[in-house]
Amino acid sequence: MSDTSKCEKCGAAVDAGELVEHSGQHLCEDCYMDRVSPLKPCDPWAVHNARGAKNLATPELLPLQRLMLDAVTAAGAMAPDDLAARLDVQRPELDKQFAVLRHMELLRGFKGDDGRVYWCRF
Ligand SMILES: [Zn+2]
């Protein structure tokens, strides 16, 4: 009779004496710890909050948001009307997406020397 057995979760060969019974399954120590650990490292909100919006190197952007970001990045700064014309987008829609990008601290607005409002990278 063999003195080794298999973990029913990961299939690792483990000494029979080291298997832990949990919920009717025989688990190796690692799987058992995973199963009973109260830590939930995959909690999306915890991860989100820990990273902070500013540290999102490649946040999920809508295609239009990506276009806006690329255009402004390439130009350095762009007036919203120029950007709207460039991307062929209506201002209300553009302003809505700008608000999102601003919230993500990717774009911000500032007033140029000529008194016009420009958008640039944060
Ligand atoms: Zn296991």
Side-chain angles (χ1 to χ4, degrees), residues 5-110:
S5 194
K6 269 190 175 179
C7 166
E8 289 177 32
K9 189 171 177 230
C10 68
V14 186
D15 285 347
E18 284 179 21
L19 282 175
V20 186
E21 193 172 343
H22 180 69
S23 302
Q25 279 190 303
H26 292 88
L27 305 173
C28 69
E29 204 169 332
D30 285 351
C31 290
Y32 177 70
M33 291 308 284
D34 279 350
R35 194 64 69 85
V36 299
S37 171
L39 293 173
K40 290 273 187 287
C42 294
D43 181 348
W45 276 109
V47 171
H48 179 81
N49 290 339
R51 282 154 91 196
K54 205 165 194 167
N55 295 328
L56 294 172
T58 51
E60 294 289 324
L61 295 178
L62 296 175
L64 175 56
Q65 293 169 348
R66 175 64 64 189
L67 287 172
M68 291 169 66
L69 201 58
D70 288 347
V72 170
T73 302
M78 278 189 93
D81 283 335
D82 294 342
L83 188 58
R86 166 85 68 88
L87 300 179
D88 196 19
V89 178
Q90 299 297 313
R91 270 303 295 275
E93 176 64 16
L94 199 71
D95 289 352
K96 197 171 86 186
Q97 301 310 330
F98 172 73
V100 176
L101 290 168
R102 194 187 179 292
H103 186 72
M104 288 194 270
E105 300 190 347
L106 290 170
L107 290 183
R108 65 182 175 87
F110 71 98

